[in-house]
């Protein structure tokens, strides 16, 4: 049986991203999203989440970009290498920062169903250890496994292909740590190599090659409005293209033709 969770990252980033995520859920195939506790549009996202109870909400844990919740007014590292240096020098304690983010989401009345990290920083051992500890502490059983399916979409740059292949090096420890803390993952994951290049044809091609089991499909839909345009991110116009793909008749038809059932983390026991 092929089951698919379609997740939108960056809920709470900007209001135009939020509205695009909700449209992808209401009119399209989106079943889940992950919320940025330090996002500028956090309150707007919480309101929308409560108005759309059929949309699973998890935590999109952030150690790169935005403002710290542990030390308000202090900026978090602006890049992954800067974050690694801050963690190594003890200037940034992942478990403290990420706990504050989960607490903010829970305190807003949201029950998180799953955890993932901005920029996939939980691939790094100190961050993974913190995420697994918090998953156990808060009873959040699902954690993203960010290892792409062994497929390379057309147009994928060589650097992205190389990074995707290199992630296999850390896979064994990754799953060992999650198992130690009682965390669950999907059987498969897709979307890393498609980020910024996801259109209807790419989604249909993914569906045709989707293996049996449970897959998480990572997406980044949104409306390309003024808040997004003014934000520090490379994903701007591409979010509108992803939104169009996730709400297209072509993509919806492909689900049935390929024998894929949409599901949510809250439906899995």
């Amino acid at each position: 049986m092929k089951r698919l969770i379609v997740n939108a990252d960056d809920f709470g980033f900007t209001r135009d991203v939020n509205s695009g995520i909700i449209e992808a859920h209401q009119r399209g195939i989106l079943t889940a999203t992950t919320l940025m506790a330090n996002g500028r549009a956090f309150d707007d996202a919480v309101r929308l989440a409560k108005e759309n109870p059929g949309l699973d909400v998890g935590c999109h844990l952030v150690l790169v970009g935005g403002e710290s919740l542990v030390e308000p007014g202090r900026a978090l590292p602006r890049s992954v290498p800067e974050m690694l240096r801050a963690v190594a020098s003890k200037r940034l304690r992942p478990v403290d920062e990420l706990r504050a983010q989960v607490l903010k989401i829970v305190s807003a009345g949201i029950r998180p169903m799953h955890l993932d990290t901005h920029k996939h920083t939980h691939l790094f051992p100190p961050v993974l250890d913190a995420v697994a500890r918090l998953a156990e502490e808060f009873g959040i059983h699902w954690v993203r496994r960010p290892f792409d399916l062994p497929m390379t979409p057309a147009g994928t740059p060589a650097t992205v292909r190389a990074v995707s292949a290199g992630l296999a090096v850390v896979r064994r420890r990754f799953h060992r740590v999650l198992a130690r803390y009682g965390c669950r993952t999907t059987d498969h994951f897709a979307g890393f190599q498609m980020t910024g290049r996801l259109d209807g044809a790419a989604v249909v091609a993914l569906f045709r090659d989707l293996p049996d089991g449970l897959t998480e499909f990572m997406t980044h839909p949104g409306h390309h409005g003024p808040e997004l345009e003014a934000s520090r991110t490379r994903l701007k116009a591409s979010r509108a293209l992803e939104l169009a793909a996730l709400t297209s008749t072509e993509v919806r038809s492909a689900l049935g033709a390929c024998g894929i059932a949409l599901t949510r983390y809250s439906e899995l026991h």
Side-chain angles (χ1 to χ4, degrees):
M1 183 177 179
K2 299 178 182 180
R3 294 183 297 171
L4 183 67
I5 294 170
V6 184
N7 188 84
D9 290 8
D10 300 342
F11 199 38
F13 185 56
T14 65
R15 287 178 297 175
D16 33 19
V17 167
N18 291 351
S19 63
I21 288 172
I22 295 302
E23 182 177 344
H25 169 62
Q26 292 178 342
R27 297 184 50 244
I29 65 170
L30 194 77
T31 62
T33 187
T34 37
L35 175 58
M36 305 173 83
N38 72 339
R40 289 176 294 164
F42 174 81
D43 292 338
D44 179 64
V46 168
R47 175 184 62 82
L48 290 170
K50 292 178 179 179
E51 292 175 358
N52 293 272
L55 178 66
D56 272 4
V57 179
C59 304
H60 195 54
L61 301 171
V62 181
L63 292 174
V64 177
E67 186 176 302
S68 168
L69 294 189
V70 171
E71 298 182 47
R74 180 174 68 85
L76 290 171
R78 296 182 68 175
S79 67
V80 172
E82 186 181 335
M83 181 213 74
L84 293 175
R85 290 192 294 270
V87 171
S89 66
K90 310 296 185 185
R91 290 182 288 110
L92 176 63
R93 285 179 48 82
V95 71
D96 293 342
E97 182 62 43
L98 300 183
R99 180 182 287 112
Q101 294 180 19
V102 178
L103 279 170
K104 182 176 178 179
I105 291 171
V106 171
S107 297
I110 301 294
R111 181 188 174 194
M113 291 288 108
H114 53 300
L115 300 174
D116 59 41
T117 56
H118 191 51
K119 308 289 186 184
H120 302 315
T121 54
H122 66 305
L123 287 167
F124 301 103
V127 182
L128 176 62
D129 293 342
V131 169
R133 284 175 56 187
L134 294 172
E136 181 183 54
E137 179 181 334
F138 287 91
I140 304 170
H141 303 295
W142 292 91
V143 176
R144 172 179 288 169
R145 59 180 311 280
F147 308 107
D148 247 355
L149 286 166
M151 57 183 293
T152 303
T156 303
T159 52
V160 175
R161 294 198 304 268
V163 170
S164 182
L167 294 180
V169 175
V170 302
R171 185 176 301 179
R172 183 174 298 178
R173 181 187 186 275
F174 183 93
H175 286 291
R176 187 168 65 246
V177 170
L178 292 187
R180 185 189 313 148
Y181 286 92
C183 302
R184 300 179 66 185
T185 69
T186 58
D187 301 313
H188 313 288
F189 173 79
F192 174 73
Q193 296 182 77
M194 302 167 73
T195 300
R197 292 172 297 279
L198 193 159
D199 58 16
V203 177
V204 170
L206 169 66
F207 289 176
R208 287 172 179 161
D209 292 333
L210 201 71
D212 288 343
L214 177 65
T215 301
E216 180 194 359
F217 178 27
M218 176 185 71
T219 67
H220 297 83
H223 291 125
H224 188 190
E227 288 187 20
L228 177 59
E229 182 59 34
S231 299
R232 180 183 171 84
T233 177
R234 70 181 179 88
L235 303 179
K236 294 183 179 178
S238 65
R239 293 183 190 263
L241 295 176
E242 293 199 21
L243 174 58
L246 295 175
T247 56
S248 73
T249 302
E250 174 191 22
V251 165
R252 280 185 170 278
S253 298
L255 279 172
C258 298
I260 300 169
L262 290 177
T263 189
R264 302 181 291 154
Y265 290 103
S266 56
E267 294 174 342
L268 304 172
H269 302 285

